[in-house]
């Protein structure tokens, strides 16, 4: 036998496993002892108990443990802090005789798992109304409220109330500046139904806003059996209704508002007439631009020009009047106080995207006003008009005249907001109270104007919320017009005048003061609204859990 044949493995050796062609990396190396176990290795998983861990065996007759069984280390006397606290979980109590705004806001501020289930109402038809139709009605109601200037939290509360009135309790509304959406999930194992709607046009009509609130109030009342068809009919009537005041009344109201504002800053009868004419001319020009389809930015720019032009013309004609009072009065009719208050309110209640969008809209309107006034002031300076920035120091203290002017300003502001006639008297008195508080603190008490404005706005928010809860209506008609006398018209004008005269530093200081006054108004109104709820019987669920943001995380 040759030497090559000696090296050739026999067939028995190949079958014995020594052939390298059948060896893999999973083969056990020679010399490694592996203990044999009684079970198959395939039955071991990551849920198996590691060897060496002593686990007590269950008592005889005890079934297999589940996710609901208590841990083996649990002791009733020495319960760890991770379990339910000793005082237990507070029971949610919703008082039924409260307005639906407070009840729905309370539920929206709660986690979904803690919301109480709705009681079955008699208005649910056989099988209930179709879910898509209920969601469509909800979105249409939310669209009217958001387009009318209502806050995002109140819009969500109204949408939640409509869905809940038809038995759709597992719904989640979501409101942004231009988009409304709502999602309803019948159960945890069913697919959710989602619908959305875009808000493209906005208009100020507080009469329509009050009608929508009455509709939601009727839907939330368990004793009123309002069908889905009846709700659609009432909603269609609201859209078809005309505004309560004709165009000439609105134009006259804008003129009277500017005249009353000029009296607040020290103007006389001539200044009153000049400011009224300038504001009415600006209002007509703005209506003309709106009819041609121009954006609101250009409408504000054009509307700000006539009051400034009239004030400069009186100065060039050497008429002994306060041109600053004329221009300031015209600015009062244009400052977007409603959008400012709504934007700050959304930010304080946690709707940051909507708040940022509203405040950006306010900034664009303000830039339009600034551009219109600056153009006219620059032209007046070039023509030789001697506008005195120190005229603000000569404001005379006339308490009775100023209180009367503030009430007239609130009255005309309410007309411009298309409010119901039944609410005009209340908001007029609220505006007089606001200016009285401001005058007593600033002029008599010599307190800073920012602090005085914040306190006066807080009084407006407090009274507005109490009046709205008394009438089961929105708080906007009782607060928006009442803050009119507090708007920073004079600080805005003198800041623009300083910038037009190349005194940029002084102008920025005055503009910053105007921004601080505007923020004080918005925060004061919101704070007064929150304080007013302390006097109402809301229930334990209103004490919502605060987010842990005290350390920046």
């Amino acid at each position: 036998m040759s030497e090559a044949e000696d090296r050739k493995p026999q067939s028995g050796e190949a079958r014995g496993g020594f052939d390298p062609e059948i060896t893999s990396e999973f083969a056990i190396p020679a010399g490694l002892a592996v203990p044999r176990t009684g079970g198959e290795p395939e039955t071991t998983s990551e849920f198996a108990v590691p060897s060496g861990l002593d686990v007590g065996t269950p008592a005889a007759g005890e079934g297999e443990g589940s996710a609901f069984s208590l841990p083996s280390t649990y002791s009733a006397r020495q319960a760890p802090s991770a379990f339910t606290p000793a005082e237990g979980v507070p029971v949610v109590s919703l008082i039924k005789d409260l307005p639906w705004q407070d009840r729905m806001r309370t539920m929206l501020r709660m986690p979904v798992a803690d919301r109480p289930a709705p009681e079955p109402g008699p208005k649910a038809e056989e099988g209930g109304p179709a879910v898509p139709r209920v969601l469509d009605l909800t979105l249409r109601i939310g669209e009217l409220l958001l387009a009318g200037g209502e806050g995002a939290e109140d819009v969500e509360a109204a949408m939640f109330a409509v869905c809940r009135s038809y038995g759709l309790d597992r719904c989640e509304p979501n409101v942004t500046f231009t988009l409304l959406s709502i999602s309803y999930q019948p159960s945890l194992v069913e697919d959710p139904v989602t619908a959305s709607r875009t808000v493209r046009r906005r208009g100020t009509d507080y009469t329509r806003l009050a009608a929508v609130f009455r509709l939601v109030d009727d839907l939330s009342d368990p004793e009123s059996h309002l069908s889905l068809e009846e709700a659609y009919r009432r909603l269609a009537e609201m859209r078809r209704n005309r505004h309560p005041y004709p165009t000439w009344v609105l134009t006259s109201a804008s003129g009277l508002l500017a005249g009353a504002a000029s009296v607040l800053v020290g103007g006389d009868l001539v200044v009153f007439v000049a400011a009224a004419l300038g504001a009415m001319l600006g209002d007509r020009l703005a209506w003309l631009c709106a009819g041609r389809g121009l954006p609101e930015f250009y409408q504000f720019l054009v509307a700000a020009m006539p009051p400034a032009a009239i004030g400069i013309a009186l100065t060039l004609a050497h008429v002994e009047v306060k041109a600053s009072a004329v221009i300031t009065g015209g600015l009062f009719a244009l400052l977007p106080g409603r959008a400012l208050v709504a934007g700050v309110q959304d930010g304080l209640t946690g709707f940051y995207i909507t708040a940022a969008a509203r405040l950006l809209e306010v900034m664009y309107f303000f830039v339009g006003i600034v551009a219109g006034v600056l153009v006219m002031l620059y032209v007046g300076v070039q023509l030789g008009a001697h506008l005195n920035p120190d005229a603000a120091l000569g404001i005379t203290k006339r308490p009775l005249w100023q209180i009367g002017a503030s009430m007239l300003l609130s009255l005309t502001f309410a007309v411009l907001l298309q409010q119901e006639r039944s609410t005009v008297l209340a908001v007029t008195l609220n505006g007089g109270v606001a200016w009285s508080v401001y005058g007593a603190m600033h002029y008599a008490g010599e307190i800073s104007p920012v602090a005085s404005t914040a306190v006066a706005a807080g009084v407006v928010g407090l009274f507005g919320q109490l009046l709205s809860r008394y009438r089961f209506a929105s708080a906007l008609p009782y607060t928006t017009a009442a803050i009119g006398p507090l708007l920073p018209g004079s600080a805005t004008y003198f800041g623009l005048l300083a910038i037009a005269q190349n005194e940029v530093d002084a102008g920025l200081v005055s503009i910053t003061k105007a921004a601080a006054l505007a923020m004080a108004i918005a925060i004061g109104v919101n704070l007064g609204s929150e304080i007013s709820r302390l006097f109402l019987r809301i229930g334990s669920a209103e004490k919502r859990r605060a987010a842990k943001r005290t350390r920046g995380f």
Side-chain angles (χ1 to χ4, degrees), residues 3-21:
E3 192 174 326
E5 291 176 347
D6 291 338
R7 291 194 300 267
K8 183 178 179 181
Q10 301 298 323
S11 60
E13 294 176 352
R15 286 192 298 269
F18 296 97
D19 193 349
E21 295 179 356

Side-chain angles (χ1 to χ4, degrees), residues 36-51:
R36 294 184 176 272
T37 58
E40 292 290 333
E42 288 81 9
T43 60
T44 303
S45 68
E46 64 270 19
F47 299 103
V49 180
S51 59

Side-chain angles (χ1 to χ4, degrees), residues 114-294:
D114 296 343
R115 292 176 185 171
E119 299 178 1
K123 68 178 65 176
E125 299 155 2
E126 197 171 29
V131 172
R133 294 196 64 198
V134 175
L135 298 184
D136 178 71
L137 175 68
T138 303
L139 290 173
R140 291 178 183 273
I141 290 177
E143 178 190 9
L144 289 181
L145 293 176
L146 187 62
E150 194 64 66
E153 187 179 32
D154 293 327
V155 175
E156 282 196 359
M159 295 171 64
F160 190 75
V162 174
C163 285
R164 192 173 174 84
S165 64
Y166 287 105
L168 308 184
D169 59 309
R170 301 178 63 90
C171 65
E172 284 296 329
N174 187 21
V175 176
T176 60
F177 186 59
T178 57
L179 181 65
L180 298 166
S181 63
I182 188 167
S183 178
Y184 169 70
Q185 189 174 13
S187 65
L188 294 176
V189 297
E190 296 183 65
D191 296 332
V193 181
T194 304
S196 62
R197 193 173 183 87
T198 303
V199 179
R200 302 189 182 277
R201 296 188 59 187
R202 301 178 183 274
T204 304
D205 190 347
Y206 282 3
T207 300
R208 181 180 296 172
L209 192 69
V212 176
F213 264 74
R214 284 193 292 268
L215 174 60
V216 179
D217 187 31
D218 292 340
L219 288 172
S220 304
D221 188 3
E223 297 181 359
S224 63
H225 311 305
L226 195 63
S227 64
L228 198 63
E229 288 72 18
E230 178 66 17
Y232 267 108
R233 185 190 64 79
R234 290 178 56 176
L235 196 63
E237 289 180 355
M238 296 175 198
R239 291 181 175 275
R240 288 195 301 264
N241 283 346
R242 297 176 59 87
H243 296 304
Y245 304 104
T247 304
W248 67 270
V249 174
L250 299 178
T251 302
S252 302
S254 64
L256 292 176
L257 188 152
S262 66
V263 174
L264 283 179
V265 294
D268 52 11
L269 181 60
V270 177
V271 173
F272 181 93
V273 175
L277 290 177
M280 287 189 291
L281 181 58
D283 180 77
R284 287 292 86 200
L285 290 176
W287 276 97
L288 182 62
C289 293
R292 297 297 185 271
L294 289 178

